[in-house]
Short mmCIF file of all heavy atoms in Angstrom, two decimals:
data_model
loop_
_atom_site.label_atom_id
_atom_site.label_comp_id
_atom_site.label_asym_id
_atom_site.label_seq_id
_atom_site.Cartn_x
_atom_site.Cartn_y
_atom_site.Cartn_z
N ALA A 212 -15.65 19.18 -1.86
CA ALA A 212 -15.76 17.93 -2.60
C ALA A 212 -15.67 16.76 -1.62
O ALA A 212 -15.06 16.89 -0.56
CB ALA A 212 -14.67 17.82 -3.66
N TYR A 213 -16.28 15.64 -1.99
CA TYR A 213 -16.26 14.49 -1.10
C TYR A 213 -15.07 13.59 -1.44
O TYR A 213 -15.00 13.04 -2.54
CB TYR A 213 -17.56 13.70 -1.24
CG TYR A 213 -17.71 12.57 -0.25
CD1 TYR A 213 -17.87 12.84 1.12
CD2 TYR A 213 -17.65 11.25 -0.66
CE1 TYR A 213 -17.99 11.82 2.03
CE2 TYR A 213 -17.77 10.22 0.26
CZ TYR A 213 -17.94 10.50 1.59
OH TYR A 213 -18.04 9.49 2.52
N PRO A 214 -14.10 13.44 -0.51
CA PRO A 214 -12.90 12.67 -0.83
C PRO A 214 -13.06 11.18 -0.52
O PRO A 214 -13.58 10.80 0.53
CB PRO A 214 -11.85 13.30 0.10
CG PRO A 214 -12.64 13.71 1.30
CD PRO A 214 -14.02 14.09 0.80
N VAL A 215 -12.62 10.36 -1.44
CA VAL A 215 -12.62 8.91 -1.26
C VAL A 215 -11.23 8.39 -1.64
O VAL A 215 -10.65 8.87 -2.63
CB VAL A 215 -13.68 8.22 -2.14
CG1 VAL A 215 -13.51 6.70 -2.13
CG2 VAL A 215 -15.09 8.60 -1.66
N ILE A 216 -10.69 7.49 -0.88
CA ILE A 216 -9.39 6.89 -1.19
C ILE A 216 -9.58 5.44 -1.62
O ILE A 216 -10.22 4.66 -0.93
CB ILE A 216 -8.44 6.96 0.01
CG1 ILE A 216 -8.08 8.41 0.31
CG2 ILE A 216 -7.17 6.15 -0.26
CD1 ILE A 216 -7.20 8.59 1.53
N LEU A 217 -9.03 5.11 -2.77
CA LEU A 217 -9.02 3.74 -3.24
C LEU A 217 -7.64 3.15 -2.93
O LEU A 217 -6.62 3.69 -3.37
CB LEU A 217 -9.27 3.67 -4.76
CG LEU A 217 -10.61 4.20 -5.27
CD1 LEU A 217 -10.67 4.03 -6.78
CD2 LEU A 217 -11.77 3.48 -4.60
N ASP A 218 -7.62 2.07 -2.18
CA ASP A 218 -6.37 1.33 -1.95
C ASP A 218 -6.26 0.27 -3.03
O ASP A 218 -7.13 -0.62 -3.12
CB ASP A 218 -6.38 0.68 -0.56
CG ASP A 218 -6.32 1.72 0.54
OD1 ASP A 218 -5.69 2.76 0.34
OD2 ASP A 218 -6.90 1.47 1.61
N VAL A 219 -5.22 0.35 -3.83
CA VAL A 219 -5.04 -0.55 -4.97
C VAL A 219 -3.74 -1.33 -4.82
O VAL A 219 -2.67 -0.73 -4.70
CB VAL A 219 -5.03 0.23 -6.31
CG1 VAL A 219 -4.83 -0.71 -7.48
CG2 VAL A 219 -6.32 1.03 -6.47
N ASP A 220 -3.84 -2.65 -4.80
CA ASP A 220 -2.65 -3.51 -4.71
C ASP A 220 -2.13 -3.81 -6.11
O ASP A 220 -2.92 -3.93 -7.06
CB ASP A 220 -3.00 -4.82 -4.02
CG ASP A 220 -3.19 -4.63 -2.51
OD1 ASP A 220 -2.87 -3.54 -2.02
OD2 ASP A 220 -3.67 -5.57 -1.86
N GLN A 221 -0.82 -3.95 -6.24
CA GLN A 221 -0.21 -4.34 -7.50
C GLN A 221 0.49 -5.68 -7.32
O GLN A 221 1.39 -5.82 -6.50
CB GLN A 221 0.80 -3.30 -7.97
CG GLN A 221 1.48 -3.65 -9.25
CD GLN A 221 2.31 -2.52 -9.82
OE1 GLN A 221 1.79 -1.62 -10.49
NE2 GLN A 221 3.59 -2.51 -9.53
N GLY A 222 0.06 -6.69 -8.10
CA GLY A 222 0.64 -8.01 -8.00
C GLY A 222 2.00 -8.10 -8.67
O GLY A 222 2.48 -7.14 -9.29
N GLU A 223 2.60 -9.28 -8.57
CA GLU A 223 3.94 -9.51 -9.14
C GLU A 223 3.97 -9.24 -10.64
O GLU A 223 4.97 -8.79 -11.18
CB GLU A 223 4.37 -10.94 -8.85
CG GLU A 223 4.73 -11.21 -7.38
CD GLU A 223 5.93 -10.44 -6.92
OE1 GLU A 223 6.84 -10.23 -7.74
OE2 GLU A 223 5.97 -10.01 -5.75
N ASN A 224 2.87 -9.58 -11.33
CA ASN A 224 2.84 -9.41 -12.78
C ASN A 224 2.27 -8.05 -13.20
O ASN A 224 1.95 -7.84 -14.36
CB ASN A 224 2.01 -10.53 -13.40
CG ASN A 224 0.55 -10.52 -12.92
OD1 ASN A 224 0.23 -9.78 -11.99
ND2 ASN A 224 -0.28 -11.34 -13.52
N GLY A 225 2.14 -7.14 -12.25
CA GLY A 225 1.63 -5.81 -12.55
C GLY A 225 0.13 -5.68 -12.47
O GLY A 225 -0.43 -4.61 -12.65
N THR A 226 -0.55 -6.79 -12.16
CA THR A 226 -2.02 -6.77 -12.05
C THR A 226 -2.45 -5.85 -10.93
O THR A 226 -1.91 -5.88 -9.81
CB THR A 226 -2.56 -8.19 -11.76
OG1 THR A 226 -2.19 -9.03 -12.85
CG2 THR A 226 -4.07 -8.17 -11.65
N LEU A 227 -3.43 -5.00 -11.21
CA LEU A 227 -3.98 -4.08 -10.22
C LEU A 227 -5.31 -4.61 -9.70
O LEU A 227 -6.14 -5.10 -10.47
CB LEU A 227 -4.18 -2.70 -10.83
CG LEU A 227 -2.93 -2.03 -11.40
CD1 LEU A 227 -3.30 -0.70 -12.04
CD2 LEU A 227 -1.88 -1.82 -10.32
N ARG A 228 -5.51 -4.50 -8.39
CA ARG A 228 -6.76 -4.90 -7.77
C ARG A 228 -7.07 -3.98 -6.60
O ARG A 228 -6.21 -3.68 -5.77
CB ARG A 228 -6.68 -6.35 -7.28
CG ARG A 228 -6.84 -7.40 -8.36
CD ARG A 228 -8.30 -7.44 -8.88
NE ARG A 228 -8.48 -8.46 -9.89
CZ ARG A 228 -8.29 -8.30 -11.17
NH1 ARG A 228 -7.89 -7.13 -11.63
NH2 ARG A 228 -8.51 -9.27 -12.03
N ILE A 229 -8.31 -3.55 -6.49
CA ILE A 229 -8.75 -2.69 -5.39
C ILE A 229 -8.93 -3.56 -4.13
O ILE A 229 -9.57 -4.59 -4.18
CB ILE A 229 -10.06 -1.99 -5.75
CG1 ILE A 229 -9.79 -0.97 -6.86
CG2 ILE A 229 -10.68 -1.29 -4.53
CD1 ILE A 229 -11.01 -0.42 -7.52
N SER A 230 -8.33 -3.10 -3.02
CA SER A 230 -8.47 -3.83 -1.78
C SER A 230 -9.45 -3.16 -0.81
O SER A 230 -10.05 -3.80 0.02
CB SER A 230 -7.11 -3.99 -1.09
OG SER A 230 -6.53 -2.72 -0.84
#
Side-chain angles (χ1 to χ4, degrees):
Y213 186 69
V215 170
I216 293 177
L217 298 181
D218 292 328
V219 179
D220 287 349
Q221 179 171 276
E223 289 295 326
N224 61 352
T226 299
L227 301 177
R228 281 290 182 271
I229 291 167
S230 58

